């Protein structure tokens, strides 16, 4: 087997020594080429090259969810083809590693590498569905390029939090869960649309859902982790189905307190609920429109402001070693 290892040298929880150990372990079992990313989008370019090659069987992403997202978008630059495209393996190296953990991999790079080698020896893999977001035709965002996501996307509040976290990291702050909590509070205090939502959810064949103040799209469960605690925004979401949506129509102090408590106590059987909570399961096609430009994120990466995004849930999009 010939494999390409895409290494993010800035991965939050992986040291240079650990990377060397992992490269040695993987190289002992396959013909391995290891490349360290040098710029934003480099992992995507490497994934694209692997997809276009005739002799790469496996791409291993060593990094956080952002690195995985870039690799996936490179692999799928011409769309899914599970019979021809290289398989994907993920070694968690970021601060949260939602995709790897949702696959059931250990949240430790060395242990995850061992699990991947065991899976390769046993020839075990799974085919996962992915989400695709695109600019909506006929809107000012129609020229925005399509982009795949592995576990979540969001328009509005949660994307604003991620944008704030990225700003803090650019100023030298470490990506910690405490940093996220602080930015949640600041986003809440500054949120201009928390009392009257500006998002409309349109699903073909259904009545539009209006006045959403928050919208979270999930491709799997859990949605994220707070330390070792899984947080379930859409408990039914799965790599085996299309996309789930959680929408909240009110973000008053009382509502946020209630929903935050529900999220912190969420489980695979129970997520946020209430009069102003909207939960939809297994959607293949839908669009989010906003009356005002709102922050947009995919897989924890802030992508700027959007007024309209069209989503597609694609089943059986990629083969993953697990």
């Amino acid at each position: 087997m010939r494999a390409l290892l895409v290494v993010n040298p800035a991965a939050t929880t992986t040291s240079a020594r650990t990377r060397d150990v992992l490269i040695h372990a993987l190289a002992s079992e396959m013909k391995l080429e290891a490349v360290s990313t040098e710029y934003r989008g480099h992992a995507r370019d490497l994934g694209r090259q692997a997809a276009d090659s005739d002799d790469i069987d496996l791409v291993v992403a060593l990094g956080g969810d952002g690195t995985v997202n870039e690799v996936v978008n490179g692999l799928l630059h011409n769309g899914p083809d599970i019979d021809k495209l290289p398989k994907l393996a993920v070694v968690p190296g970021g601060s949260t590693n939602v995709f790897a953990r949702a696959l059931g991999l250990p949240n430790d790079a060395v242990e995850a590498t061992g699990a991947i080698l065991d899976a390769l020896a046993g020839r075990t893999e799974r085919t996962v569905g992915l989400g695709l977001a695109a600019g909506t035709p006929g809107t000012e965002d129609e020229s925005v390029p399509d982009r795949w996501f592995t576990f979540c996307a969001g328009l509005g509040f949660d994307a604003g939090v991620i944008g704030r976290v990225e700003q803090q990291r650019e100023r030298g702050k470490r990506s910690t869960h405490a940093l996220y909590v602080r930015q949640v509070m600041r986003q809440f205090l500054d949120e201009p649309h928390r009392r009257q939502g500006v998002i409309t959810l349109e699903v073909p064949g259904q009545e539009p859902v209006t006045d959403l103040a928050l919208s979270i799209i999930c491709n799997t469960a859990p949605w994220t982790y707070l330390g070792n605690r899984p947080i379930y925004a859409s408990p039914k979401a799965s790599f085996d189905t299309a996309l789930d949506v959680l929408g909240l129509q009110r973000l008053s102090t009382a509502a946020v307190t209630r929903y935050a408590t529900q999220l912190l106590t969420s489980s695979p059987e129970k997520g946020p609920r209430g009069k102003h909570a909207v939960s939809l399961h297994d959607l293949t096609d839908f669009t989010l429109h906003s009356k005002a430009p709102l922050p947009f994120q995919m897989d924890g990466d802030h992508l700027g402001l959007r007024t309209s995004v069209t989503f597609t849930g694609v089943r059986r999009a990629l083969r993953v070693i697990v």
Side-chain angles (χ1 to χ4, degrees), residues 80-243:
D81 189 339
I82 60 173
D83 295 324
K84 294 183 179 180
L85 287 176
K87 301 173 186 178
L88 174 71
V90 178
V91 178
S95 58
T96 311
N97 308 305
V98 178
F99 182 64
R101 294 164 82 175
L103 288 169
L105 290 168
N107 193 34
D108 174 85
V110 175
E111 292 182 11
T113 300
I116 289 168
L117 292 174
D118 289 344
L120 288 169
R123 298 180 181 274
T124 60
E125 62 182 62
R126 67 177 294 186
T127 303
V128 301
L130 297 172
L132 182 65
T136 306
T139 72
E140 60 186 63
D141 292 326
E142 65 178 343
S143 63
V144 175
D146 297 357
R147 181 159 172 168
W148 296 90
F149 60 97
T150 64
F151 65 91
C152 84
L155 180 67
F157 185 88
D158 75 307
V161 172
I162 288 172
R164 288 174 180 270
V165 169
E166 290 187 2
Q167 288 177 353
Q168 294 299 312
R169 292 184 66 181
E170 289 171 359
R171 296 170 184 167
K173 301 287 186 180
R174 291 185 63 248
S175 179
T176 64
H177 296 293
L179 176 63
Y180 274 88
V181 171
R182 288 196 299 272
Q183 302 315 310
V184 167
M185 295 305 299
R186 289 173 181 171
Q187 181 68 23
F188 170 72
L189 293 173
D190 293 342
E191 175 59 52
H193 308 297
R194 61 191 176 97
R195 296 190 181 277
Q196 182 63 46
V198 294
I199 302 170
T200 296
L201 167 63
E202 294 184 352
V203 181
Q206 299 184 25
E207 287 294 317
V209 180
T210 62
D211 301 328
L212 295 175
L214 175 150
S215 57
I216 295 172
I217 300 91
C218 292
N219 186 49
T220 188
W223 164 49
T224 190
Y225 292 83
L226 187 60
N228 291 322
R229 179 190 292 275
I231 305 296
Y232 295 87
S234 297
K236 293 182 180 180
S238 167
F239 288 130
D240 298 321
T241 61
L243 301 174

Side-chain angles (χ1 to χ4, degrees), residues 49-101:
Q49 293 169 18
D52 292 341
S53 74
D54 295 324
D55 56 357
I56 294 180
D57 306 297
L58 174 69
V59 178
V60 184
L62 170 55
D65 289 310
T67 302
V68 175
N69 179 278
E70 285 195 13
V71 169
V72 167
N73 274 277
L75 285 172
L76 272 64
H77 74 100
N78 277 330
D81 189 339
I82 60 173
D83 295 324
K84 294 183 179 180
L85 287 176
K87 301 173 186 178
L88 174 71
V90 178
V91 178
S95 58
T96 311
N97 308 305
V98 178
F99 182 64
R101 294 164 82 175

